[in-house]
Amino acid sequence: MSVPQPPEPIPGARLLFSLDPAVSYLNHGAFGAAPIAVQRAQQRLRDEMEANPLRFFTQGLVDRIAHTRRHLAGFLGADPEGSSLVGNTTTGVAVVLQSVGLKPGDEVLTTDHGYGAVNLAIQRECRRTGAVNRILPIPLADTDEQIVRAIRTGLRPGRTRLLVIDQLTSVTARLFPTAAIVAVAHEHGVPVLVDAAHAPGMLATTVSSIGADFWAGNLHKWGFAPRGTALLAVAPRWRDRIEPLVVSWEQDAGYPARVEWQGTLDYTSWLAAPAGLFTLRSLGVDRVRGHNAALAAYGQRVVGDALGVPPAQLPDPGGPGVSMRLIPLPAGIATTIEAARALQTRISERLAAEVAVIGWNGRGWLRLAGQVYNTADEYERLAVRLPALLAQR
């Protein structure tokens, strides 16, 4: 089977970013990368804030935040009045966890594909309330039908108080059949929280059609917003119960203002976020998504071939449009979180390449992302040099 051809580069896209040209930045999924125009838009807002802080914070800022939220929610197909801006997906998850009213004996059901910080937030809330976290194993090669069946079997009506699932997993770059899972959970009376950290910008997402009780996604990854920009969408029946992590002067205004307003928070990342969507739209949303998914698939095959991984053993992301791909590392390498972090650092320092190295289920994995600033030769250089580095155990 031949290696798929890389997509045609998008002319001028690399020049939109201030990334170090000496480094192959193949890990957009970690912290994103804000285009230069977005950086400048945020700096202008910071200049405005520092020119007269009192005026900036007290004259119309709540309305400016609401206007921004409506813009971002509209792009994602979410109800603007049922959404709130938050710092990141994990913050949105924490807001939901402390608002649903877990009690002793309740169960939060998750899968073994969950993001580490979200898992820690769930465990902390379970310790605080006396609830328990049950983790459902989902094999990486499972089909959508098998995933839905496993979750249907794993639900315990009357005990499962909340199901937390990923739309696109960070750990394994696997697209889950989110809407189908939500439908099954609702059949059993179980509310669902969707961790959609990687969905905004990457996937053609319409939040309202998913039907989840709670949905949280980052705009600062694939939506080109400044870091610290995410959206939490809440179904109507839950909105009156949503409480912020910190009470502020907008507490009596109800949701979403009580969650969004956090006093002297730097709101410039949120206010500059529409500039990120403008960049994405200027390049062509579908064009960017197609380019990134094709480039990630190319990188997966090139590096996989270099490591001797048969194409049939390269994990399928589970659907089109996914701009991250997973490659299994040789047995015994990066099998723990600590070893994965150490290898990621070695690759960064010795190969001038930023990648994600993940220890999951006793196996080490390499996660590559594709973005408009990446080129095929960056993956090819990694493929040439990585095997020798891995052999230096």
Side-chain angles (χ1 to χ4, degrees):
M1 184 180 296
S2 62
V3 176
Q5 293 299 306
E8 286 293 324
I10 297 177
R14 177 65 180 82
L15 300 177
L16 299 176
F17 297 83
S18 55
L19 292 164
D20 185 350
V23 176
S24 296
Y25 200 81
L26 308 177
N27 192 13
H28 187 87
F31 296 100
I36 295 170
V38 177
Q39 298 175 41
R40 290 174 176 169
Q42 185 177 16
Q43 188 57 53
R44 287 193 295 271
L45 288 160
R46 284 175 171 154
D47 291 342
E48 177 192 348
M49 176 173 63
E50 296 305 333
N52 191 330
L54 184 64
R55 177 182 298 168
F56 182 85
F57 280 95
T58 62
Q59 296 186 21
L61 182 55
V62 172
D63 291 337
R64 292 173 74 178
I65 293 169
H67 177 76
T68 300
R69 180 224 311 146
R70 294 186 188 105
H71 184 97
L72 302 181
F75 174 76
L76 294 170
D79 178 1
E81 305 313 313
S83 304
S84 61
L85 294 173
V86 291
N88 55 32
T89 296
T90 308
T91 300
V93 168
V95 168
V96 171
L97 287 171
Q98 62 116 39
S99 299
V100 295
L102 295 174
K103 303 182 299 297
D106 286 344
E107 174 184 276
V108 179
L109 182 64
T110 59
T111 78
D112 59 350
H113 296 250
Y115 181 61
V118 170
N119 294 338
L120 292 172
I122 293 169
Q123 292 161 15
R124 185 185 70 171
E125 192 64 17
C126 285
R127 287 194 301 270
R128 190 180 73 82
T129 61
V132 297
N133 175 205
R134 187 161 59 90
I135 302 173
L136 191 66
I138 302 290
L140 190 57
D142 269 10
T143 64
D144 286 357
E145 292 76 14
Q146 289 171 322
I147 292 173
V148 173
R149 190 181 310 122
I151 290 176
R152 183 192 300 273
T153 303
L155 293 169
R156 296 174 178 175
R159 183 173 180 185
T160 304
R161 188 70 178 82
L162 182 68
L163 170 64
V164 182
I165 58 167
D166 296 81
Q167 186 168 349
L168 175 66
T169 68
S170 178
V171 177
T172 56
R174 180 62 162 82
L175 186 65
F176 272 24
T178 316
I181 292 172
V182 170
V184 164
H186 285 176
E187 288 174 8
H188 293 79
V190 177
V192 183
L193 165 58
V194 175
D195 176 349
H198 291 275
M202 183 202 293
L203 304 176
T205 296
T206 303
V207 174
S208 60
S209 68
I210 294 173
D213 301 82
F214 315 99
W215 181 100
N218 293 323
L219 274 297
H220 56 245
K221 292 181 185 283
W222 306 92
F224 292 154
R227 274 169 287 281
T229 306
L231 192 81
L232 170 65
V234 178
R237 72 187 185 97
W238 292 98
R239 293 172 190 171
D240 289 343
R241 299 173 59 177
I242 295 296
E243 293 287 346
L245 300 177
V246 179
V247 173
S248 73
W249 284 104
E250 291 295 315
Q251 178 65 17
D252 292 341
Y255 184 81
R258 63 167 49 153
V259 170
E260 290 176 332
W261 185 255
Q262 294 293 306
T264 52
L265 186 72
D266 184 349
Y267 299 98
T268 60
S269 60
W270 296 356
L271 299 181
L277 294 185
F278 178 81
T279 300
L280 182 60
R281 288 178 170 127
S282 296
L283 292 171
V285 177
D286 292 338
R287 184 186 189 190
V288 168
R289 287 170 176 162
H291 170 277
N292 293 350
L295 192 56
Y298 176 75
Q300 181 190 45
R301 281 294 303 276
V302 168
V303 176
D305 284 351
L307 297 181
V309 181
Q313 293 181 18
L314 293 172
D316 188 323
V322 177
S323 303
M324 301 190 300
R325 293 292 184 112
L326 214 60
I327 303 160
L329 292 170
I333 294 179
T335 58
T336 66
I337 293 177
E338 295 75 18
R341 287 174 178 168
L343 177 57
Q344 183 170 312
T345 300
R346 286 177 62 209
I347 293 172
S348 173
E349 294 175 347
R350 299 171 72 172
L351 304 186
E354 299 296 350
V355 300
V357 181
I358 297 161
W360 181 73
N361 280 4
R363 182 74 187 263
W365 303 84
L366 186 74
R367 194 192 72 192
L368 299 177
Q371 188 49 271
V372 295
Y373 51 72
N374 292 130
T375 56
D377 65 288
E378 293 179 300
Y379 305 90
E380 294 160 3
R381 286 198 302 271
L382 178 65
V384 169
R385 303 177 64 191
L386 182 60
L389 183 141
L390 295 180
Q392 299 170 5
R393 299 199 215 183

